[in-house]
Amino acid sequence: MLYGGDYNPEQWPRDVWKHDMRLLREASINEVTLNVFSWAALQPDEHTYDFSRLDDIVALVSEYGMNIIMATSTGALPAWMSLKYPDAERVDFDGRKHRHGARQNACPNSPTYRHYAAELASRLAERYGSLSNLEAWHISNEYEGICYCPNCARTYRDWLRARYGSVEHLNAVWGTDFWGHTYDSFDHIYPPDRAGDGSYDGPCAVLPAASLDYARFFDDSIIDAYNVEKKAIRRFDAQTPVTTNFMGNFYQYDYQHWAKDIDIAAWDCYPRLGTPASDTAFWHDLIRCLKRKPFLLMEQTPSRMNWMPYNALKRPGQMRQQSWQAIAHGADSVQFFQMRRSRYGCEKFHGAVIDADGTNKTRTFQEVAALGRELAEVGPLIEGSMPKARVAIIFDWSSWRGLRNAIGPSNDLDYLREARAMYAELYRRNIAVDVVGVGADFSAYDLVLAPALYIVSDADAARLNDYVRQGGTLVLTVMSALSDEHDVLHQGFTPAPFHETAGVWAMETDALAPDHTVPLHFADSSDQTDCAVQDASTEQTDYAARVLCDILVSEEGTQVLATYGEGPFYAGKPAITGHRSGEGVCYYAGAFLNGPAMREFLGIVLAEAGIPTVNTNAGVSINTRYTADGEALTFIINDTDEPRTVTMPRSGTDLLAAGTPATLKAGATAQLPPFGVMLLR
Amino acid sequence: MLYGGDYNPEQWPRDVWKHDMRLLREASINEVTLNVFSWAALQPDEHTYDFSRLDDIVALVSEYGMNIIMATSTGALPAWMSLKYPDAERVDFDGRKHRHGARQNACPNSPTYRHYAAELASRLAERYGSLSNLEAWHISNEYEGICYCPNCARTYRDWLRARYGSVEHLNAVWGTDFWGHTYDSFDHIYPPDRAGDGSYDGPCAVLPAASLDYARFFDDSIIDAYNVEKKAIRRFDAQTPVTTNFMGNFYQYDYQHWAKDIDIAAWDCYPRLGTPASDTAFWHDLIRCLKRKPFLLMEQTPSRMNWMPYNALKRPGQMRQQSWQAIAHGADSVQFFQMRRSRYGCEKFHGAVIDADGTNKTRTFQEVAALGRELAEVGPLIEGSMPKARVAIIFDWSSWRGLRNAIGPSNDLDYLREARAMYAELYRRNIAVDVVGVGADFSAYDLVLAPALYIVSDADAARLNDYVRQGGTLVLTVMSALSDEHDVLHQGFTPAPFHETAGVWAMETDALAPDHTVPLHFADSSDQTDCAVQDASTEQTDYAARVLCDILVSEEGTQVLATYGEGPFYAGKPAITGHRSGEGVCYYAGAFLNGPAMREFLGIVLAEAGIPTVNTNAGVSINTRYTADGEALTFIINDTDEPRTVTMPRSGTDLLAAGTPATLKAGATAQLPPFGVMLLR
Amino acid sequence: MLYGGDYNPEQWPRDVWKHDMRLLREASINEVTLNVFSWAALQPDEHTYDFSRLDDIVALVSEYGMNIIMATSTGALPAWMSLKYPDAERVDFDGRKHRHGARQNACPNSPTYRHYAAELASRLAERYGSLSNLEAWHISNEYEGICYCPNCARTYRDWLRARYGSVEHLNAVWGTDFWGHTYDSFDHIYPPDRAGDGSYDGPCAVLPAASLDYARFFDDSIIDAYNVEKKAIRRFDAQTPVTTNFMGNFYQYDYQHWAKDIDIAAWDCYPRLGTPASDTAFWHDLIRCLKRKPFLLMEQTPSRMNWMPYNALKRPGQMRQQSWQAIAHGADSVQFFQMRRSRYGCEKFHGAVIDADGTNKTRTFQEVAALGRELAEVGPLIEGSMPKARVAIIFDWSSWRGLRNAIGPSNDLDYLREARAMYAELYRRNIAVDVVGVGADFSAYDLVLAPALYIVSDADAARLNDYVRQGGTLVLTVMSALSDEHDVLHQGFTPAPFHETAGVWAMETDALAPDHTVPLHFADSSDQTDCAVQDASTEQTDYAARVLCDILVSEEGTQVLATYGEGPFYAGKPAITGHRSGEGVCYYAGAFLNGPAMREFLGIVLAEAGIPTVNTNAGVSINTRYTADGEALTFIINDTDEPRTVTMPRSGTDLLAAGTPATLKAGATAQLPPFGVMLLR
């Protein structure tokens, strides 16, 4: 199992390199990611390339037996390129041409940038592609940002022409009769920047269809730029996996769309002070489902970040717990940013395996080394194994963007939060989940949840309706299925594409004032009491609706699971319904739910779908990966900084136990220290 | 009485049109506002006009017996015009040239824009001006925003030349010796944008006189642009009223200045979650006084807005209550944005009479239809009648702008809030109020209130001093009469122009820390106890000063009505005074007052002015309109979502009662349901 | 002693001038600062100068016996210059070229600006340099702001060439290998604006060394522009002191660096509502130490500011108290902004000696006149005397800027606040303090405090280490000595340059969540109880660490003064240490301390350093100035708005007592009224 991360020897005198190698080996580090930001050094001017320093670095790390992930260094332009070829730099939302600075500063549609990026990537591949210790190519680094320059405007128009054929068709789809935005020519269309239809500050969109298209166009632009480099690498290296490091909770690029072009999924995981463990797990599951195979945990901090408002230290054991959580959800690597702390630059307060003291004496180094020993021992057993899930949550970039673009109905509407709120309840119940796109094949799942799936095409809706009719269970919520793939409202009784399947009409939607909730009353559901036994906060009176409340009209034959309580004019009216359709069931939650209500609601749904909860004490999570030959590896993790008692969900040997491991029986109890981890075989 | 609103069939396939017509007629809708945003469609390029679709729409709505308010569609430029003639687009405060986007994007001083706007308006007038069902012309839509472009700079210089004659005179009036801003030429003067004297973020002004002049210049620019269209219409239609829809609480344009050029006042009324009923009534009264005749309630939402942070639904009955409130204050129409909910665009979450389901089954549709039946019955009786007021509040755009431009004395100083705080107490007492400009004829009023009337010219001050001497009652407050019409401080004992009339000197002014108040003690005023009987929060100890406290020196003969209490160094000194001048009285409130103090203060003032309070339970408001032949129509409205008991202020028949209405006797009690309305004849 | 301030007769008709002169003389005003903002009037075009009005003003104030501080009027460009020579105006961080507006609008590197500023200054010096009542030259006014224009870019490159010689050297020092920022040429380097490396909003820096260099370059730019005028003056006036008015809490320019070029230090003092008296005193002490001689209190408001969010009036006596506080800390003048309140401009709500009423009847005028009488009497005795301090606090602009530029470790890290928190405890103890730069000569001090001295060069560290070894006492804290003079991290055991001297290793640093603290436990220190007797809030359990907590590893022989208490994983570990090195001691506080902990910590330090506390009741401060012949003048000031009892710290006569002053014995008690002041001789 890869254990390592970003190493920047370019920033150090050479006498430090060997010192570092010895320390890293002491910590069982077996991989370094090199060459992340060296374009200006590798290509000091338009005609000169100089790989001598990188050659020396590669030679040294190879000599020390390290594997290499080789970055292409294209994440920041050389100053000479920005200044000589301004088309290579971005123009921001405010119309400002950038000059040179920071990183992720290239316009992905710049011919200059593409030309030189491909040239550099191919030279790197030619030079290092046959290294036996080359594990992967890492293109650019943490792609981010949007460009609004003339390159992009031109390319966008071509993209629109290809998509719509005629401007009349575009006018019809975008609904440009709104506010007199009718276009007479593709040439009249520009990126939605502040000088145009991005007139309201930030992400609000005058023409939602246009803004959604620009986001999709920009997906394609970034992916094309990535593929330009990938193709250049493939000229000299046909086999080594090619990837880039995705980021968490990142709406700018649709990673599900990008997934086809990466060989192995990889992401950088930076939970902040107070991030719930389930939020991190949600993104692990999403990343794993991109390729439906194990992924790389490509970056995490060994101790602290620096770019948060309050950069608390990871507590003793916490880095290990977070590493094992990633593995439990499908990671096949543990990698850090960074191997050695920078002396310069805006990340000099960021944690590292080796600190400014250059020693092995720090707590951080010792914890990294201890985890390294563990991984060296059990890693090979885990690699390649995968979780299995009967439940899928649909997470959809178009819905995310559509709701971000929307003006109304509530400032407190947050797609990611609502998706994660539903996930959190499944996480609490230790139910394996796949987080998938709306285009996924759902036939393998017993339950599909579509929280706030605001945008659904007719085709996808048809597939989901079929899924239910053939026996599946589908959960919709308020804000689900309002718009089609162009963010144009479906016409009919909301949720129009699911009106028959859900058996309910959301006649209107109330937005609650900040911090206001509406109580909910559940119909008797005594068979669900087992779902909530371990949490004291589950009194019925706590059930509440948050943010938005549909006023529902339920059709005949629709079961009302919960009604609104005292307060608004719709008290007593249905809030949550269930409806049989064919062989399956479609549930509709007309409001976002607070914790207790989510618990009760999903308790009902899961029971009817026959999906068992694995009860644990609060903060203990259980996940299982299955090896190719069917062996189950069960990860029991204490996500908290307090000791926890855990009941063994199965029998097995704890591979992480100190000394000679004894076999633990199913149903026996064991103690987990703060952030403790067990791995049952 | 007009009952209808914006309808955008351009956004729909034609088969929808007839369906909508049938539904609208079912709801007793008798008017639609057409052609609000279709310029790009009507004029697809510089040389082509195409009215065929609009012809069809007009024919259909006419066939269904609807009246038409015809908009000119000039609220958003066609893309081709913006792109070919960039002078037509605005430059914003930050100096950014806009390209094409959103709406209200035209520079009102652009020759291109004026040329084509006039051309379009005249063609519309030529084509539709003789329609028998044409009720009014609606120019542009919700004018808003300021431009800082070279067109505007040039026109501004001409405007200044005409106003000041010489740059020396301008220097003297503007006080450009401040910070070395002396100008040698009109050509050195630019709009006060961020690159110039708008250097502090937002509306603060380095040279207040210059910023005030730019606001006035921009008033004239927008009004001129409006008049260009009006004149073009008048070439073909000499009679149909011409108007545009004003907005609420809108400081950018001085509607009192604009009033001379509109034929009928119209505004769009969007109270938000929690807006007090009196705040809405304040603007109704202001709009009515623009033309001193009934106005149009040109837009309101039938259910929810979408552009508020939290877009709550109107409660059952609330849309009806708000409609009747508008009528009670002088509206002769009830109009909605919009007839049918958009599928596209940033208003697609805004409420409409017909929702995405296209049915008559929604609560909203049913309430609209019920109100339509009511209005069809009683509307004709009401049309043309007017309220009568003995009290005027002066509301002055120059004071509003001057205080917004000012740096200091307190961030919590808010002119509109202080004007409405005084209005709210009159509203609570069911006293009819005119909200008028400082140039109004005050002779008909028994009481004139000038809260924070910061800017007063010597001429207007003389007229107000005369008004008092001839028997009027005038109320001034802290911040009243500090500056002249150029926002230059009056010299003398503050309030200098009223020093003799008010008999008081505001020697200095303290600003209170946020959320701090200073207690007030009123001298014995037992004859006022009737003013506050129905509110439990009127204990003397609650009287308090807010935001700013003048330290007053009262002249001999001036009565001290209230003094400051414990706390600041001016405890025991006068806070509120009254002073006889000629036949009248001038009151001076040296601080902004909290609710109880405002109640006590105005209780004294009203009693001495002989203006009776009509007591009601909290949240019940009573207003009367008088028909041309003197008949009184009394509107009793429950502004709250709870039932209220009301004592009949007069005898009469409730025209809105179900079944056969019985005559109610004065003094009898009746029940008003939540948001209930009675109309006594 | 100078008593006066800014007077702007340019803004007034001439008949006002004489009226003002009489009033000012009545208030014992003996100085006016003239000609602060008149460039556009003095030079109406490129070739014309007109001093006639200024001649008249000078003649009149001279006739009335006033002294003059003559400003050069270069704080705001004439409009013609900005418009004809755009290079004279600034470009802001966002890349916007400014046109003309506000003030401090000149690019200090503009040849145009420098040429005309020198020309104006020399003409003023030629004309008025020999006036017998000329007290000082005042160049520009309240210099502020940063420019990012092409002039600056060019000059910056020259500055870098001179500093680094080669771009390779610059690359090495700046660490441009970070994020691929390697430069191939000085020509590739631009100011760090938003289009470049100021990519994160505000002051964060991608390359801290580059941003720090730009700040230093800009220091030099402004100082050069100042010196251009100074040199022009010196052509005609070799002797009159030349200065400019510095501002409080101002990070943009390094006043310690500028000090060599001013002849007398001067600053504008504007404490706001709620500013602790010690914060103001801190800056007085800093300003005094710039030249190590008495300074000018060049501006304060006599009553209220206008540019604060809430502009409260100074309470009766408060302006006097603040004036005497300045004098107690070394001021040899009391000056106001302004003599007469403006009618125009954005400061028209700012207080003045003469208000809009033009009278002597205001409270403000009366208080100004009373203070004038006092100063006229005792001023001559005080002038030239100086405080003596055994304690120095190091305040360092590079550390301030470095921490502002830094991303992490905590949003709550505020260098100025931490320096003032330490100062506040010394102020509370009535211990005289010098606030000095890191390059100061420390040999005269018994105690040197270096709170959060983040940036220390090896050379300065060596000097401080020597200082300790030779018997000095040094206090370091968390964040001290992390970076060298280029903001590059020192390598080694933190605080690396002081590792041996401090005897402690700060292995890692935890950032606390907002509003969180960590309890501290002090080892027994009973000999310190006298330090805290007069404050009830000194219970041991209140001791707490704030914002950041080092996890410390103390070396053998290091004394642990305090440990962390319950809560974090480092409970029980050292938080504060002391370590002997040679003849001295080095203390290290691993966290920022709350009030009680600071009290306890400095109690220990001061006791060991033999520096006595002078106990007073809370809010009473005692300071002493010593005349040239050694006489002690002791200022006893009640900083509060409540009466206070004070124990005489010495015997003496109160020179400010009304009537015939009696001698007060040391140890006797006296009453100080609110804001009361005694001056013991």
Side-chain angles (χ1 to χ4, degrees), chain B residues 6 8 270 299-302 335-339 347 350-352:
Chain B
D6 284 22
N8 298 300
Y270 289 101
E299 288 186 18
Q300 66 174 348
T301 180
Q335 293 162 278
F336 299 104
F337 180 83
Q338 54 191 334
M339 291 298 104
E347 293 178 330
H350 198 287

Side-chain angles (χ1 to χ4, degrees), chain A residues 406-661:
Chain A
I407 301 181
S410 169
N411 275 8
D412 289 350
L413 173 55
D414 177 337
Y415 178 65
L416 179 59
R417 184 173 64 190
E418 297 309 334
R420 294 207 289 209
M422 204 163 259
Y423 179 91
E425 176 58 18
L426 299 168
Y427 185 87
R428 203 187 63 82
R429 292 169 180 269
N430 296 299
I431 293 170
V433 179
D434 281 352
V435 178
V436 300
V438 70
D441 174 5
F442 301 112
S443 59
Y445 298 109
D446 295 312
L447 172 60
V448 173
L449 304 143
L453 183 68
Y454 166 66
I455 285 183
V456 189
S457 68
D458 287 333
D460 286 329
R463 291 173 55 245
L464 282 162
N465 282 320
D466 281 349
Y467 163 75
V468 175
R469 273 193 293 272
Q470 289 162 20
T473 299
L474 174 65
V475 172
L476 304 171
T477 73
V478 57
M479 300 304 294
S480 289
L482 292 187
S483 282
D484 70 13
E485 68 272 31
H486 301 292
D487 202 355
V488 173
L489 288 186
H490 289 293
Q491 297 297 293
F493 292 90
T494 301
F498 297 103
H499 180 222
E500 282 184 36
T501 304
V504 73
W505 172 32
M507 187 175 70
E508 49 187 345
T509 304
D510 196 27
L512 305 183
D515 303 322
H516 280 60
T517 58
V518 171
L520 291 172
H521 295 306
F522 276 84
D524 188 76
S525 57
S526 54
D527 55 341
Q528 295 312 316
T529 50
D530 68 311
C531 301
V533 288
Q534 293 171 328
D535 195 314
S537 66
T538 55
E539 298 301 313
Q540 171 121 4
T541 50
D542 285 326
Y543 299 145
R546 294 181 297 107
V547 185
L548 292 171
C549 295
D550 281 338
I551 287 87
L552 298 180
V553 178
S554 59
E555 311 290 331
E556 240 191 86
T558 298
Q559 188 190 355
V560 175
L561 277 68
T563 54
Y564 294 110
E566 295 287 301
F569 67 89
Y570 40 87
K573 294 199 174 166
I576 309 179
T577 60
H579 181 255
R580 301 208 67 82
S581 172
E583 303 298 308
V585 188
C586 180
Y587 293 93
Y588 187 89
F592 296 126
L593 307 178
N594 73 350
M598 184 68 85
R599 199 163 297 163
E600 186 69 20
F601 172 48
L602 288 192
I604 295 166
V605 170
L606 290 163
E608 299 207 5
I611 297 166
T613 291
V614 179
N615 285 313
T616 55
N617 275 317
V620 174
S621 67
I622 298 179
N623 290 273
T624 300
R625 287 175 70 162
Y626 299 87
T627 64
D629 51 5
E631 189 175 10
L633 301 170
T634 301
F635 301 81
I636 306 174
I637 302 180
N638 179 359
D639 292 333
T640 78
D641 62 355
E642 294 165 356
R644 284 286 182 273
T645 300
V646 63
T647 305
M648 288 299 107
R650 55 168 279 200
S651 300
T653 308
D654 177 8
L655 299 181
L656 305 181
T660 314

Side-chain angles (χ1 to χ4, degrees), chain C residues 145-172:
Chain C
I146 311 289
C147 182
Y148 298 86
C149 78
N151 288 327
C152 290
R154 274 189 302 274
T155 317
Y156 180 42
R157 285 179 206 121
D158 292 341
W159 188 92
L160 291 172
R161 273 188 200 96
R163 190 174 178 90
Y164 293 109
S166 72
V167 76
E168 290 73 22
H169 184 207
L170 175 144
N171 279 326

Side-chain angles (χ1 to χ4, degrees), chain B residues 106-182:
Chain B
C107 168
N109 291 306
S110 156
T112 307
Y113 164 66
R114 290 193 176 191
H115 169 77
Y116 284 112
E119 183 66 25
L120 179 61
S122 71
R123 286 178 186 240
L124 288 165
E126 184 178 18
R127 197 169 195 96
Y128 306 113
S130 55
L131 283 175
S132 62
N133 57 338
L134 183 68
E135 281 286 333
W137 290 100
H138 169 321
I139 294 182
S140 188
N141 185 64
E142 292 191 343
Y143 280 102
E144 64 170 323
I146 310 288
C147 182
Y148 299 86
C149 77
N151 288 326
C152 290
R154 273 189 302 274
T155 317
Y156 181 41
R157 285 181 205 119
D158 292 341
W159 188 93
L160 291 171
R161 271 188 202 98
R163 190 176 179 88
Y164 294 108
S166 72
V167 76
E168 290 74 21
H169 184 208
L170 175 145
N171 279 324
V173 171
W174 282 11
T176 57
D177 272 310
F178 180 80
W179 286 5
H181 275 47
T182 316

Side-chain angles (χ1 to χ4, degrees), chain C residues 137-320:
Chain C
W137 290 100
H138 170 322
I139 294 182
S140 189
N141 185 64
E142 291 190 343
Y143 279 103
E144 65 170 324
I146 311 289
C147 182
Y148 298 86
C149 78
N151 288 327
C152 290
R154 274 189 302 274
T155 317
Y156 180 42
R157 285 179 206 121
D158 292 341
W159 188 92
L160 291 172
R161 273 188 200 96
R163 190 174 178 90
Y164 293 109
S166 72
V167 76
E168 290 73 22
H169 184 207
L170 175 144
N171 279 326
V173 170
W174 282 11
T176 57
D177 272 311
F178 180 80
W179 285 4
H181 274 46
T182 316
Y183 296 105
D184 312 300
S185 157
F186 282 106
D187 291 339
H188 290 169
I189 299 173
Y190 284 79
D193 62 5
R194 190 183 295 279
D197 263 339
S199 308
Y200 298 103
D201 272 8
C204 296
V206 172
L207 290 182
S211 285
L212 196 55
D213 268 352
Y214 198 73
R216 288 167 175 160
F217 156 74
F218 212 81
D219 281 339
D220 286 345
S221 299
I222 283 287
I223 295 169
D224 286 355
Y226 163 92
N227 279 329
V228 160
E229 291 194 49
K230 183 173 180 180
K231 200 171 146 192
I233 288 169
R234 284 287 174 253
R235 286 178 55 209
F236 296 97
D237 177 353
Q239 292 194 322
T240 311
V242 176
T243 189
T244 188
N245 49 347
F246 291 160
M247 296 194 285
N249 315 324
F250 188 74
Y251 73 92
Q252 290 183 318
Y253 310 143
D254 181 344
Y255 291 151
Q256 291 166 344
H257 180 50
W258 196 333
K260 65 186 183 307
D261 296 305
I262 56 170
D263 297 324
I264 180 167
W267 80 291
D268 299 347
C269 178
Y270 288 103
R272 62 177 69 194
L273 184 59
T275 300
S278 63
D279 280 3
T280 309
F282 174 86
W283 211 262
H284 284 315
D285 287 349
L286 182 153
I287 294 287
R288 183 190 68 243
C289 291
L290 293 180
K291 301 298 291 184
R292 295 191 177 270
K293 59 182 192 182
F295 63 92
L296 302 182
L297 174 65
M298 209 163 195
E299 288 186 18
Q300 66 174 347
T301 181
S303 53
R304 65 170 177 178
M305 282 91 87
N306 72 300
W307 42 271
M308 304 296 299
Y310 300 91
N311 297 281
L313 293 167
K314 291 191 180 181
R315 276 32 203 159
Q318 191 173 15
M319 181 276 291
R320 175 177 179 254

Side-chain angles (χ1 to χ4, degrees), chain B residues 180-243:
Chain B
H181 275 47
T182 316
Y183 297 105
D184 313 301
S185 158
F186 283 106
D187 291 338
H188 290 169
I189 299 173
Y190 283 78
D193 63 4
R194 190 182 295 279
D197 264 340
S199 308
Y200 298 103
D201 271 9
C204 297
V206 171
L207 290 182
S211 285
L212 195 54
D213 268 352
Y214 198 74
R216 287 166 176 161
F217 155 75
F218 213 81
D219 282 339
D220 287 345
S221 299
I222 283 287
I223 296 169
D224 285 355
Y226 163 92
N227 278 329
V228 161
E229 290 194 49
K230 182 172 180 181
K231 201 171 146 192
I233 288 168
R234 285 286 175 251
R235 286 178 55 210
F236 296 97
D237 177 354
Q239 293 195 322
T240 309
V242 176
T243 189

Side-chain angles (χ1 to χ4, degrees), chain B residues 193 195 197 411-412 508 510, chain C residues 99 102 306 309-310 313 343 363:
Chain B
D193 63 4
D197 264 340
N411 275 7
D412 289 350
E508 49 187 345
D510 196 28
Chain C
R99 184 198 314 112
N306 72 300
Y310 300 91
L313 293 167
R343 283 176 298 172
R363 177 178 70 90

